[in-house]
Amino acid sequence: MQVEIDGSRCMLCGDCARVCPQVFELGEYQAEIRRQPTRPEDVKACRLAAASCHRGVILIAEDEAADICMRGMLHVSERSQNDN
């Protein structure tokens, strides 16, 4: 699992840091990632934090391909063309 925050939409409500303080903390302008979740309990808390985010700013990629797509480096349509 890879986690990112869309800082342009974060309103610093702090819900993510309350639900999952081992991964999220509040920065000066947006929520920030302290470290990527690796332990099962962190992954679960991270998903809860994403679900509790009112603005939907927590982006979760479940695997490497999803992470690449999430970062916009490779679009899904391009990936399917490369598979042929």
Side-chain angles (χ1 to χ4, degrees):
M1 169 189 269
Q2 193 73 18
V3 179
E4 289 191 26
I5 294 174
D6 179 354
S8 66
R9 296 183 7 227
C10 180
M11 61 182 200
L12 284 171
C13 70
D15 286 347
C16 58
R18 278 189 288 283
V19 172
C20 188
Q22 60 275 32
V23 173
F24 301 101
E25 64 186 1
L26 294 183
E28 188 173 342
Y29 302 105
Q30 69 184 44
E32 297 177 352
I33 297 169
R34 298 178 68 195
R35 64 177 178 80
Q36 291 295 324
T38 53
R39 300 179 307 174
E41 58 270 21
D42 294 348
V43 169
K44 182 178 179 180
C46 220
R47 287 191 179 109
L48 289 172
S52 71
C53 181
H54 304 289
R55 309 277 315 256
V57 303
I58 300 172
L59 309 172
I60 296 177
E62 297 295 341
D63 59 27
E64 186 177 344
D67 181 46
I68 290 170
C69 289
M70 181 173 72
R71 292 174 185 266
M73 297 182 202
L74 181 66
H75 297 288
V76 173
S77 61
E78 293 172 340
R79 187 177 68 204
S80 62
Q81 289 173 358
N82 291 338
D83 290 342
N84 294 330

